Amino acid sequence: NFAIANGNPTQIIHPTHHPQSPLLHGGFRGTPLTVKSLESLTPKEQQAAIEQFTTAAAQTPFNLEQDSLLRIVLLRQSDRDHVLLLTMHHIIADGWSMDVLLRELVALYEAAATGKPAALPELPIQYADFAIWQRDRLQGDVLETLLNDWKQQLAGELPILQLPIDYPRSRVQSFRGAIESFTLSAELSDRLKTLAQTEGVTLFMLLLTAYNVLLHRYTGQTDILVGAPIAGRNRPEIEGLIGFFVNTLVLRTDLEGNPTFQTLLQQVRQVTWAAFDRQDLPFEKLVEALAPDRDLSYSPLFQVKFRLENAPTTSIEVPGLTLSLLSQTNPAAKLDLSLDLYETASGLVGSFEYNRDLFAPETIARMVGHFQRLLAAITASPTERIADLPMLTEAEQRQLRDWNQTQIEYDDRCFHQIFEAQVERSPDAIALIFNDQQLTYRELNRRSNQLAHHLQRLGVRPETLVALCIDRSPEMIIALLAILKAGGAYLPLDPTYPIDRLSFMLENSQAAILITNSAAPSLPVPKRINLDAWEFAGDDHNPTSRVTTDNLAYLVYTSGSTGVPKGVLVSHAGLANLTKDKIRVCQVQPDSCVLQFFSLSFDASIPEIVMALGSGAKLCLASIESLLPGTALLQLLREQAVTHITITPSALSALPLTELPALQMVLVGGEAPSADLIARWSQNRRFINAYGPTETTVNASMVPCDSGDPPTLRPSANKQLHILDRHLQPVPIGVAGELHIGGVGLARGYLDRPDLTGDRFIPNPFAPGRLYRTGDLACYRPDGRIKLLGRIDQQVKIRGFRIEPGEIEALLTQHPDVQSSAVIVHERGEKRLVAYVVSARQTSIDFRRFLREKLPEYMVPSAVILLDSLPLTPNGKIDYRSLPHPDQITRTEAIVAPRTELEKAIAAIFTDVLEVKKISITDDFFELGGHSLLATRLIAQLQQTCQLEISVADLFEAPTIAELADRITLRQTQETLLQTDSSDEREEIEI
């Protein structure tokens, strides 16, 4: 078939058209053989040249009308070493065909080398015969039956498999692939085969089930679709043909209910046999019939593949020649992830083919280890439930334990005792300031002692709750210290709260005493002390009590998901640990000045107080008006030479950046700070990102950030952070799970809410004690730091896509013009994402374009609404419930009416599909609520109206009426030119 020349290195040799040529009997013409010489190159240069030729051959598009469908290049490395590159269009060949081609190529070469005639077997049919047979068969009742069976198997909402990825998913798939190969030991391979025989399944079914478990453990999804190629050669007449026979089956597995592996295996067995029974329906017919919601960033129906087959022969001996197969150097990843396994004489070998624009090589390398670990566990205990099968390697388990080694010594004293030690150390130092008032440590201690003795006379003992409802003032701190010194626990009440809320807290807590002032309204409590009318006198020495670190320190109410506040019970042990850790991490010194920014009813106020008064520093109090972000707060920071401030990112972003030479530390919490916020406020000072629920004594993590550092978490002193799946199994690096917190400082639970306490505070599966379930989604980074991904209860599902609004918020805040953002879901007929942005910019279009460059289409909000500020709760967090409905926003942009008949026609289609009344030719289809499903309807109407081929990709690139009209006009002009030009001119235009 091929004449191989040793002459001119650029000589083109045409194949002899042998009547039994494997290319001709498949119905395709031959292709010239290009001979190139590499003899003058070094081995490294030769390898680079081979990869260059391979890439060029693979990436050069085939012209199905003019080109042949097989490209062949012979590269001469030396007199004895050659590389033969074969590039075939998939329309004429599949994996089986390559084996046929190789066998026949060897036979022809051997015949040419020995001078004997080639003895290729006669073919009973041609590929064209098969094509005609397939078309004739797949009609009428046969086609209808196959389609109905598949529709029943794939009924309902088809999930999108959302594997954790390392890089943002682009709007359009890139298909740039890479391969991670691995080997299973002969011993493990034999155990797998034995298990398959014992369970009455094929090895394919067993390995597919294990693959499903791996995907389930990585995503948490229980409805998983996997594509599986099948040879399609179910007749002996077509086994020797070269052609495209392969088909793809969609295998759907239900992993709900955490079944045993054995049970799941039998389900996969049934699904697989059913799929084999309807394998004759071509995959493209199935996609056409199901018409799934198409998204250019995902493959339809399934995003992962699995294949098991016999390994190809690696070395072939022919007279005077040894042939060996070379591995692909530039694979194309048609899917997110594909697992290929091969049976060899020495055991199973495999490879993960992956999209390298989504996954880092080290991520897939870890996945290989997890798959191998799962397989070993499955063979050891097939009756184990799938959630309990160990997946992490021993090295990973050891690494997770090391990341939680945070033990340091902490004070076994209560906070008021730590404060009293500071009084002894520096009695005349200024303890707190408020406007023109100042109190030294001695005076603050004396007054709080006097009130503490009075409280003890009123019956305050350990575990006694004393409510504190008083405006910001020195008396607020005096009363807090007095309650602790008396042995009691304080209940902070914000005087600005509605009476009904304050009354609920008092009645629910059964507080015995209320410390307030004369102006406060009447509240339901047995004993009331109006501090403005109470005379500080009597005993001023430190009182004694039997309080220990196990006793209650305070009860603070937080918002409940049901709208009813819930009381969190926190002990002295957590408060003492917090005190030492805050002073250490925030580097508070006796000459520091700490601002008390938060309301006392918000737990973020606690570390402000304890790190100041526990270190001998100065606590700066101020009125609410002085703490408003803006010029008032800046003036306070400058006048009082504040060195340490704790604030929410939302409030900090509203604070103008100016010279604050005294400011040494900024700590943010409650929300994730943006990269821009970190960059602006970390210059020449310490910037700390803090995280921690009320239930863990405020801070479970405090991580210093520099410019360019993303906000991450790591466990604070004597605390542990665990990321677990729903079955309390540790997740691998990069995989999302719920963040759990253990260690010192966990609250006792919720007051009179044993059900809620039992749900949120669970037994620690790794050590004695408990864990707190935060409800926060998170994942480990390779360096051990933790990245927050959003809230479990904020997770939404739109058109089959699982979305975390927090992820979109985090990306929005990376835009240099965005000060803060919020993303929520609104329903107008169907769910849609809406983003709210605080920015000086006057248009939202740029923000959507920014997101569309970084996110797939389904994650881009349908509208971006500009606000002067985001509504905040009394605690300074974003109040999502108070965000305005999109329909309440008055349109500020002028409506530009259609200018041409074409624009009028397109506008009519836009209004019909989007169900809007008013539209401008500058309005973005996707910003008005359009998505890929609506885009398909819109394109169909446009094609019918314009009688022109238009694709969804055109709409993505030209989403406005004006842009789309320009594109259609240009295409109509090109069509007219092609129709009127001569054939020679047309060929020139095409070239």
Side-chain angles (χ1 to χ4, degrees):
N1 190 36
F2 304 115
I4 299 179
N6 292 313
N8 187 339
T10 60
Q11 179 181 4
I12 305 292
I13 287 89
H14 290 270
T16 58
H17 286 202
H18 193 284
Q20 292 181 314
S21 162
L23 300 182
L24 289 180
H25 70 52
F28 305 100
R29 54 193 171 140
T31 299
L33 173 68
T34 304
V35 184
K36 297 285 184 179
S37 175
L38 304 177
E39 291 178 290
S40 62
L41 304 179
T42 65
K44 186 175 182 179
E45 291 172 334
Q46 287 185 1
Q47 181 62 32
I50 292 171
E51 292 184 5
Q52 179 183 359
F53 274 104
T54 307
T55 302
Q59 294 182 351
T60 304
F62 285 93
N63 185 320
L64 300 185
E65 295 181 356
Q66 297 180 3
D67 291 350
S68 54
L69 301 176
L70 169 64
R71 297 182 180 132
I72 307 177
V73 177
L74 181 66
L75 306 175
R76 182 187 299 110
Q77 293 181 281
S78 68
D79 287 341
R80 298 182 57 82
D81 297 303
H82 298 73
V83 174
L84 184 66
L85 302 179
L86 302 172
T87 304
M88 302 177 70
H89 196 293
H90 212 337
I91 200 172
I92 68 165
D94 50 23
W96 188 304
S97 299
M98 298 304 292
D99 291 338
V100 176
L101 174 62
L102 184 58
R103 288 198 309 268
E104 297 190 351
L105 179 61
V106 169
L108 290 169
Y109 183 91
E110 187 173 355
T114 59
K116 298 178 181 179
L120 296 181
E122 292 291 338
L123 296 173
I125 64 171
Q126 298 282 324
Y127 183 78
D129 299 326
F130 166 77
I132 294 171
W133 171 83
Q134 186 187 53
R135 291 180 182 178
D136 289 344
R137 180 174 182 271
L138 293 179
Q139 297 183 37
D141 292 342
V142 174
L143 178 61
E144 192 68 22
T145 299
L146 288 172
L147 283 174
N148 288 337
D149 288 347
W150 274 114
K151 286 180 179 179
Q152 183 177 359
Q153 173 64 21
L154 301 177
E157 189 177 66
L158 296 180
I160 303 295
L161 188 68
Q162 292 178 293
L163 288 164
I165 56 179
D166 299 304
Y167 313 114
R169 184 181 292 273
S170 61
R171 197 165 49 88
V172 179
Q173 295 181 79
S174 68
F175 306 111
R176 299 196 317 139
I179 289 177
E180 181 73 26
S181 300
F182 61 93
T183 302
L184 301 181
S185 68
E187 189 263 339
L188 177 57
S189 299
D190 289 341
R191 294 208 318 263
L192 289 167
K193 293 176 183 178
T194 300
L195 178 60
Q197 293 172 355
T198 302
E199 297 295 330
V201 300
T202 64
L203 184 60
F204 172 89
M205 296 171 185
L206 177 69
L207 293 170
L208 172 61
T209 307
Y211 188 39
N212 274 306
V213 173
L214 178 75
L215 298 174
H216 164 67
R217 296 282 291 272
Y218 262 69
T219 64
Q221 294 174 246
T222 56
D223 187 3
I224 294 179
L225 304 176
V226 176
I230 189 169
R233 299 177 188 250
N234 49 10
R235 292 177 175 269
E237 299 92 339
I238 60 179
E239 289 186 358
L241 283 181
I242 290 179
F244 185 82
F245 295 90
V246 69
N247 195 18
T248 302
L249 305 180
V250 185
L251 304 177
R252 189 176 194 175
T253 305
D254 180 11
L255 298 96
E256 189 65 52
N258 190 25
T260 66
F261 182 84
Q262 203 172 46
T263 301
L264 185 65
L265 180 58
Q266 294 306 314
Q267 181 201 144
V268 171
R269 177 179 181 271
Q270 295 174 4
V271 168
T272 304
W273 281 126
F276 286 162
D277 289 342
R278 46 178 179 263
Q279 64 176 292
D280 287 340
L281 183 72
F283 177 68
E284 62 271 19
K285 283 285 187 184
L286 178 61
V287 175
E288 179 184 333
L290 294 177
D293 186 14
R294 299 298 291 268
D295 188 285
L296 297 180
S297 60
Y298 282 99
S299 300
L301 299 190
F302 58 83
Q303 294 74 51
V304 295
K305 185 194 74 176
F306 174 73
R307 179 178 61 165
L308 171 67
E309 59 184 49
N310 292 325
T313 305
T314 58
S315 181
I316 304 169
E317 296 289 340
V318 296
L321 194 68
T322 300
L323 298 177
S324 59
L325 295 177
L326 300 180
S327 59
Q328 249 184 312
T329 56
N330 61 327
K334 304 174 186 66
L335 300 166
D336 290 359
L337 185 70
S338 298
L339 172 59
D340 296 311
L341 288 168
Y342 303 92
E343 292 187 76
T344 71
S346 59
L348 289 165
V349 297
S351 63
F352 279 102
E353 178 188 88
Y354 61 96
N355 188 319
R356 54 194 175 102
D357 286 337
L358 298 178
F359 303 101
E362 53 269 25
T363 296
I364 305 301
R366 285 193 297 268
M367 185 180 290
V368 167
H370 299 151
F371 186 60
Q372 292 173 320
R373 183 81 172 92
L374 270 177
L375 291 176
I378 287 166
T379 59
S381 183
T383 58
E384 193 77 72
R385 295 197 175 273
I386 59 175
D388 298 327
L389 290 168
M391 188 172 72
L392 299 184
T393 64
E394 292 183 2
E396 287 177 305
Q397 296 177 44
R398 186 166 54 252
Q399 188 178 53
L400 293 181
R401 289 193 297 269
D402 291 343
W403 287 341
N404 271 321
Q405 296 301 314
T406 60
Q407 290 77 12
I408 66 170
E409 290 186 8
Y410 70 96
D411 247 314
D412 58 359
R413 298 172 294 174
C414 297
F415 167 69
H416 61 277
Q417 295 167 334
I418 298 173
F419 166 75
E420 290 168 354
Q422 288 298 331
V423 175
E424 292 292 326
R425 189 174 295 113
S426 51
D428 296 322
I430 302 299
L432 59 83
I433 55 175
F434 178 72
N435 296 336
D436 296 331
Q437 301 179 53
Q438 290 187 352
L439 285 180
T440 64
Y441 271 83
R442 177 188 286 111
E443 185 62 18
L444 177 60
N445 189 55
R446 185 179 66 82
R447 294 192 184 187
S448 60
N449 286 343
Q450 290 171 332
L451 182 57
H453 283 291
H454 179 64
L455 291 173
Q456 286 183 331
R457 288 191 291 271
L458 293 177
V460 174
R461 300 288 184 271
E463 304 298 316
T464 302
L465 272 174
V466 179
L468 177 57
C469 182
I470 197 166
D471 291 323
R472 296 169 182 266
S473 62
E475 286 72 25
M476 180 182 75
I477 303 300
I478 292 169
L480 186 151
L481 284 170
I483 296 169
L484 297 179
K485 283 171 171 282
Y490 75 91
L491 165 64
L493 302 176
D494 193 321
T496 64
Y497 280 2
I499 296 296
D500 289 346
R501 189 176 183 89
L502 295 175
S503 298
F504 169 82
M505 294 177 183
L506 284 169
E507 291 173 353
N508 182 252
S509 66
Q510 295 295 298
I513 300 171
L514 170 64
I515 300 178
T516 183
N517 55 44
S518 303
S522 176
L523 291 169
V525 65
K527 181 65 177 178
R528 172 171 174 155
I529 301 174
N530 292 325
L531 209 53
D532 56 339
W534 189 79
E535 182 179 356
F536 285 92
D539 296 340
D540 60 2
H541 61 274
N542 294 334
T544 58
S545 69
R546 292 179 303 212
V547 67
T548 69
T549 54
D550 292 330
N551 289 122
L552 188 67
Y554 61 85
L555 168 67
V556 62
Y557 280 84
T558 66
S559 298
S561 57
T562 61
V564 178
K566 55 183 184 291
V568 182
L569 300 157
V570 180
S571 69
H572 279 278
L575 199 56
N577 185 64
L578 175 72
T579 301
K580 182 171 183 177
D581 200 29
K582 292 293 292 191
I583 294 171
R584 177 180 63 88
V585 176
C586 297
Q587 299 179 353
V588 185
Q589 303 295 327
D591 59 353
S592 299
C593 179
V594 180
L595 179 67
Q596 205 274 296
F597 178 81
F598 291 99
S599 163
L600 193 63
S601 62
F602 186 30
D603 69 338
S605 65
I606 298 167
E608 295 174 325
I609 296 170
V610 299
M611 70 178 174
L613 301 183
S615 63
K618 180 168 53 180
L619 182 65
C620 176
L621 303 174
S623 63
I624 295 178
E625 294 74 20
S626 299
L627 296 172
L628 293 176
T631 55
L633 180 55
L634 286 176
Q635 182 178 351
L636 176 67
L637 295 176
R638 281 194 292 261
E639 289 180 353
Q640 300 297 346
V642 172
T643 60
H644 291 67
I645 180 174
T646 302
I647 194 169
T648 63
S650 299
L652 184 63
S653 64
L655 191 64
L657 186 62
T658 185
E659 288 294 325
L660 295 169
L663 190 60
Q664 301 171 10
M665 187 221 72
V666 175
L667 184 145
V668 297
E671 304 157 9
S674 67
D676 177 63
L677 198 67
I678 296 173
R680 286 192 291 122
W681 287 94
S682 63
Q683 298 297 320
N684 302 318
R685 64 175 62 92
R686 194 169 180 81
F687 188 99
I688 298 174
N689 176 50
Y691 163 85
T694 302
E695 290 83 349
T696 62
T697 316
V698 194
N699 290 148
S701 167
M702 291 182 287
V703 179
C705 303
D706 292 325
S707 180
D709 285 350
T712 55
L713 313 181
R714 62 182 177 215
S716 293
N718 300 309
K719 285 187 168 66
Q720 293 83 47
L721 302 183
H722 300 278
I723 305 177
L724 310 177
D725 63 21
R726 69 181 67 178
H727 300 288
L728 302 183
Q729 293 293 327
V731 299
I733 292 170
V735 174
E738 184 177 3
L739 183 62
H740 292 68
I741 302 176
V744 177
L746 260 62
R748 293 180 182 176
Y750 302 105
L751 179 65
D752 295 333
R753 297 288 301 275
D755 54 339
L756 185 59
T757 299
D759 178 61
R760 307 303 294 184
F761 294 86
I762 62 174
N764 189 338
F766 312 109
R770 300 172 302 152
L771 293 179
Y772 172 69
R773 295 178 51 238
T774 66
D776 288 323
L777 276 179
C779 68
Y780 290 110
R781 297 197 324 175
D783 61 0
R785 294 192 180 189
I786 291 172
K787 177 182 178 182
L788 285 178
L789 304 175
R791 290 285 299 173
I792 290 177
D793 51 15
Q794 288 178 347
Q795 186 184 98
V796 296
K797 200 172 187 181
I798 298 179
R799 303 193 310 279
F801 296 101
R802 190 178 63 186
I803 300 171
E804 289 293 339
E807 181 181 352
I808 306 171
E809 292 175 355
L811 194 58
L812 264 174
T813 54
Q814 293 179 16
H815 193 288
D817 295 321
V818 173
Q819 298 175 11
S820 55
S821 67
V823 177
I824 58 176
V825 175
H826 280 292
E827 294 196 29
R828 188 181 66 190
E830 59 181 29
K831 293 179 180 179
R832 63 175 183 143
L833 291 168
V834 178
Y836 299 83
V837 168
V838 176
S839 171
R841 300 290 291 271
Q842 297 302 311
T843 175
S844 63
I845 295 176
D846 289 344
F847 300 130
R848 293 196 75 257
R849 287 176 179 167
F850 172 76
L851 290 176
R852 286 173 65 183
E853 292 174 356
K854 300 176 180 297
L855 293 174
E857 177 264 337
Y858 72 88
M859 289 188 68
V860 177
S862 62
V864 176
I865 296 173
L866 300 179
L867 299 176
D868 293 333
S869 62
L870 295 178
L872 303 178
T873 66
N875 292 337
K877 296 183 179 181
I878 297 174
D879 186 355
Y880 287 91
R881 295 183 180 180
S882 298
L883 290 167
H885 193 279
D887 295 340
Q888 299 173 349
I889 305 299
T890 303
R891 182 185 180 113
T892 57
E893 302 91 352
I895 294 180
V896 181
R899 301 160 296 185
T900 65
E901 291 301 318
L902 178 58
E903 287 184 348
K904 289 179 182 178
I906 298 174
I909 297 173
F910 266 54
T911 54
D912 176 59
V913 171
L914 294 171
E915 298 181 359
V916 295
K917 296 180 180 179
K918 295 181 179 181
I919 197 167
S920 172
I921 63 171
T922 59
D923 286 341
D924 187 298
F925 172 81
F926 299 100
E927 188 165 298
L928 293 174
H931 50 73
S932 57
L933 195 59
L934 293 179
T936 304
R937 287 176 47 194
L938 183 135
I939 291 300
Q941 292 190 34
L942 278 176
Q943 288 178 338
Q944 185 176 3
T945 301
C946 302
Q947 297 298 306
L948 193 68
E949 188 67 28
I950 308 168
S951 69
V952 174
D954 290 317
L955 184 60
F956 274 101
E957 295 171 2
T960 69
I961 295 171
E963 292 171 332
L964 201 54
D966 289 343
R967 177 165 292 213
I968 292 173
T969 301
L970 177 61
R971 195 161 295 172
Q972 288 173 334
T973 303
Q974 292 172 337
E975 289 286 330
T976 302
L977 287 173
L978 287 173
Q979 291 171 4
T980 56
D981 285 337
S982 65
S983 59
D984 290 341
E985 291 170 332
R986 187 183 308 119
E987 183 178 353
E988 184 178 343
I989 290 173
E990 288 174 353
I991 293 172

